[in-house]
Amino acid sequence: MTNRTSGYNFPTQLLKTLRFARQVAVLTGAGISAESGLATFRDPMTGLWAKFRPEELATPEAFQRNPKLVWEWYQWRREQVEKAAPNPGHFALAQIESKVPKFSLITQNVDSLHQQAGSKNVVELHGNIRRTKCFEENIVVESWPETEDVPPHCPRCGGLLRPDVVWFGENLPLEALYAAANASKNADLFFSIGTSGQVEPAASLPRLAQQNGATVVTINLEVTTTAFHKVYNFNGRAGEILPALVQKAWAG
Ligand code: OAD
């Protein structure tokens, strides 16, 4: 049953599945935060990877080659994140969490906007841009002496500090990965929202959920082709589709 719709004419079966779901898992990507003013990565023209080269900014080797450039780029992104506020898509997901027995929000985003919208069970697969860690010791560092150094140095070992995000070529935090896989396997309804599905292992989670019996819903801007059964594809803005879906599922 593949259902494509560009409007908000949600299939009754989907509304029922959501309303009576025992366990819902949601995977989000940069698209959920686009309506909060944060750039995605791969959207043509506006995506960060349309303007910057990930090899120069988002790998451990890039940091070793030019730590100042990498630190300053993340500092710039951190400033964007600090100015951003959750949008109706984030709030709708927090609402779903308050209505279903079990709920997991697995995000590839590093911006904390789900938590700000009130989501509680959030699994951060790619770290958090607001946190800083030591490049040498790989431990979170909360504060460091103010100096002119860019990047600043670890107060414990003197190593360079870096953002606590996952770069290309690095492993995801194991605990987050297990939590994400478990939530996906046990979900009866799985949403994939605002992600192009090009980065593993997150990209495999919808399939994992589906193989274990979940109904899968995708929401993004481009038309996705999928061979899965029991997939509902919606092409449009998450900040519009999600509130409408919640409203219809629990109407009356
Ligand atoms: P992408 O930029 O690859 O994909 C963004 C997706 O969001 C696309 O499918 C868009 O159609 C969709 N989109 C854009 N605006 C939307 C809106 N208002 N509503 C719904 N969908 C919208 O971002 P990700 O899939 O998150 O990794 O990228 C995955 C990872 O690649 C990121 O976490 C990051 C990046 O390199 C790291 O930094 C490790």
Side-chain angles (χ1 to χ4, degrees):
M1 178 198 355
T2 299
N3 195 305
R4 253 175 227 301
T5 168
S6 53
Y8 304 139
N9 194 12
F10 303 110
T12 313
Q13 185 56 46
L14 171 60
L15 297 176
K16 271 197 197 154
T17 305
L18 175 55
R19 186 168 176 155
F20 298 109
R22 284 167 291 116
Q23 185 154 354
V24 175
V26 179
L27 170 69
T28 62
I32 188 86
S33 296
E35 289 156 78
S36 295
L38 296 177
T40 62
F41 293 94
R42 293 178 186 78
D43 281 295
M45 314 302 291
T46 55
L48 288 172
W49 297 152
K51 296 181 189 151
F52 303 99
R53 286 163 54 83
E55 308 88 303
E56 286 170 12
L57 296 163
T59 70
E61 294 76 25
F63 185 74
Q64 278 169 315
R65 271 196 309 271
N66 197 340
K68 183 169 186 289
L69 175 79
V70 173
W71 177 269
E72 285 177 343
W73 190 70
Y74 278 92
Q75 192 64 28
W76 167 72
R77 282 188 53 205
R78 206 175 287 138
E79 283 162 18
Q80 314 290 311
V81 161
E82 276 163 12
K83 281 189 268 178
N87 67 60
H90 295 106
F91 287 115
L93 292 174
Q95 254 186 303
I96 296 177
E97 181 168 15
S98 71
K99 290 177 187 293
V100 299
K102 284 185 106 179
F103 181 93
S104 303
L105 193 316
I106 305 157
T107 189
Q108 299 166 87
N109 298 345
V110 295
D111 57 25
S112 304
L113 292 182
H114 287 301
Q115 291 93 328
Q116 283 180 36
S119 287
K120 300 214 162 36
N121 191 19
V122 180
V123 177
E124 292 181 322
L125 284 180
H126 291 168
N128 192 306
I129 201 167
R130 294 167 191 257
R131 275 194 316 262
T132 298
K133 67 178 181 179
C134 174
F135 185 74
E136 299 300 330
E137 299 176 300
N138 201 30
I139 53 169
V140 172
V141 175
E142 306 269 352
S143 60
W144 51 89
E146 288 286 323
T147 65
E148 301 285 290
D149 297 344
V150 182
H153 290 272
C154 172
R156 267 170 55 98
C157 76
L160 293 178
L161 295 182
R162 56 163 283 183
D164 188 5
V165 297
V166 176
W167 282 330
F168 289 103
E170 293 187 315
N171 292 327
L172 273 63
L174 259 192
E175 209 179 310
L177 195 53
Y178 283 136
N182 272 332
S184 305
K185 276 190 214 153
N186 294 323
D188 37 36
L189 181 57
F190 186 98
F191 287 87
S192 173
I193 304 168
T195 177
S196 60
Q198 292 195 37
V199 174
E200 293 291 355
S204 292
L205 296 174
R207 185 180 294 273
L208 182 64
Q210 234 247 328
Q211 283 165 346
N212 286 274
T215 296
V216 174
V217 179
T218 68
I219 301 174
N220 55 25
L221 295 188
E222 70 271 350
V223 174
T224 0
T225 50
T226 169
F228 297 160
H229 294 292
K230 285 212 293 185
V231 175
Y232 296 95
N233 295 306
F234 296 97
N235 298 124
R237 291 164 163 244
E240 293 168 5
I241 294 171
L242 284 168
L245 182 62
V246 171
Q247 202 263 321
K248 291 226 167 117
W250 280 277

